[in-house]
Amino acid sequence: MSAPRTVLVARLDNAGDVLLQGPLVRAVAHGADRVVLLAGPAGAAAAGLLPDVDEVWTWACPWILGDPPPVAADDLAALTARVGALAPDEAVISTSFHQSPLPLALVLRAAGVPRISAISVDYPGTLLDVRHRVEDDLPEPERALSLARAAGFELPAGDDGRLAVRRPLPPVAHAPGYVVVHPGASVPARAWPAHRCAEAVEALADAGHRVLVTGGPGERELTAAVAGTRGVDLGGATSLAEMAALLDGAAAVVVGNTGPAHLAAAVGTPVVSLFSPVVPAVRWAPYGVPSVLLGDQSAPCAGTRARECPVPGHPCLTEVTASDVVAAVEKLLAVQQPAAERTPRPAHAAATSTRVRA
């Protein structure tokens, strides 16, 4: 197969999900002249941080977003026309294990995309040229990279398949070596309770750490309460690129299963992961960096994909204490190595692909 000129890569959910596509994107870019990434509104800024993305398109997908817009014929027609005008040589649709690529494949096929690859459990008919199938419990970056390989794209020599962001990053007004506490989460079931976060800030400060508390524009009240008088409140004060720079300067990051956990991994910073088991840690834990996983992974909510905790008291995370977090931070600081000396995680090979159309 000759090298395509333009490849459209689609990932339509949240910022963290998009960051996990970095190895896939770099593999595609190694075999293409141009990569256009189609992202959802929550993921577009993250798409702009990925190395080798040439252009980012934003589209609110009615069958992917948690708070989806209605299906509108005019909207679908506009996307179809835009893709038709781009005339990509092929498309790679990346989805989570609980999402279907087939509706978007239909739109892209109607737009004239001649070759489409995706992971699909459902029979795709003529919607896919490469129907890829994988085992359930691959880490998400490896799952996505296996799709790129099935589509015929490989990472360049010397690329270890880790997460990454574009550099240089913006300057930071804080000397490196602080601990970042990020109390918010994309869904409530994945958040460590605010009072526990505040206790952790106090305990980390007592242990001699400088603590920065981060959050989005809608989390200023939360970050102010968590920072108290011992932490530096940066809620709503950073763009995603500036957040990446802050995380890059941190000695460790304390965060739930949400976008900044993956952003920390993308800049190579160790993570204390307050992980609610509503989704499997084997797929979604911070990838490729030293990490300590806290939270009861066998709690009754395990595997439910719940957005609101279904168990009274949110015990899977509430039972994690500030002293647990301090101990985890100290453990990470004791074992940190320069990035060049860290051993990459082993790749998984238990993936198969089926070509449906020639």
Side-chain angles (χ1 to χ4, degrees):
M1 182 179 67
S2 61
R5 296 183 298 278
T6 298
V7 177
L8 179 69
V9 174
R11 183 70 191 216
L12 292 165
D13 37 18
N14 293 321
D17 303 294
V18 171
L19 290 168
L20 295 174
Q21 309 312 302
L24 174 152
V25 168
R26 299 196 306 272
V28 171
H30 183 56
D33 295 326
R34 185 175 179 221
V35 175
V36 177
L37 204 155
L38 178 64
L49 283 178
L50 291 181
D52 296 332
V53 171
D54 296 292
E55 186 176 355
V56 177
W57 289 6
T58 305
W59 182 60
C61 180
W63 53 86
I64 295 292
L65 298 182
D67 184 19
V71 176
D74 289 348
D75 182 47
L76 292 176
L79 177 63
T80 304
R82 190 178 186 190
V83 173
L86 177 69
D89 295 85
E90 64 181 280
V92 177
I93 304 173
S94 178
T95 51
S96 182
F97 70 98
H98 56 84
Q99 300 165 349
S100 172
L102 298 185
L104 182 59
L106 176 61
V107 174
L108 299 183
R109 192 66 90 195
V113 179
R115 187 172 190 265
I116 304 172
S117 303
I119 296 171
S120 182
V121 174
D122 299 320
Y123 170 65
T126 58
L127 296 180
L128 298 179
D129 300 282
V130 177
R131 176 195 183 187
H132 185 52
R133 286 175 283 189
V134 297
E135 66 178 35
D136 286 340
D137 286 334
L138 285 177
E140 283 294 303
E142 294 176 17
R143 182 177 185 273
L145 184 57
S146 76
L147 169 61
R149 288 171 172 151
F153 300 102
E154 293 284 350
L155 287 169
D159 190 323
D160 63 7
R162 292 180 182 273
L163 306 187
V165 295
R166 292 179 183 268
R167 292 178 183 268
L169 294 168
V172 173
H174 303 272
Y178 44 81
V179 173
V180 169
V181 173
H182 187 89
S186 54
V187 296
R190 302 182 192 179
W192 199 32
H195 74 278
R196 288 285 193 234
C197 294
E199 292 167 358
V201 170
E202 293 276 348
L204 287 164
D206 287 343
H209 298 287
R210 290 178 291 136
V211 184
L212 308 185
V213 181
T214 58
E219 297 174 325
R220 289 190 176 97
E221 184 176 344
L222 171 64
T223 59
V226 168
T229 60
R230 307 292 301 280
V232 178
D233 178 16
L234 297 177
T238 59
S239 67
L240 194 65
E242 290 166 339
M243 173 75 82
L246 276 174
L247 298 177
D248 190 39
V253 179
V254 180
V255 61
N257 177 24
T258 193
H262 305 304
L263 190 57
V267 296
T269 299
V271 178
V272 176
S273 177
L274 295 149
F275 201 97
S276 167
V278 291
V279 295
V282 67
R283 300 175 188 173
W284 298 101
Y287 182 76
V289 294
S291 63
V292 175
L293 196 72
L294 299 178
D296 181 4
Q297 300 305 297
S298 61
C301 63
T304 62
R305 305 207 321 254
R307 296 179 66 84
E308 299 282 345
C309 181
V311 182
H314 198 25
C316 69
L317 290 182
T318 299
E319 293 176 2
V320 178
T321 68
S323 61
D324 293 331
V325 166
V326 173
V329 168
E330 299 293 348
K331 180 178 181 180
L332 288 174
L333 296 184
V335 300
Q336 275 193 52
Q337 295 174 288
E341 297 177 9
R342 295 177 192 151
T343 302
R345 294 178 58 162
H348 291 251
T352 63
S353 61
T354 302
R355 298 184 183 276
V356 177
R357 295 177 66 239

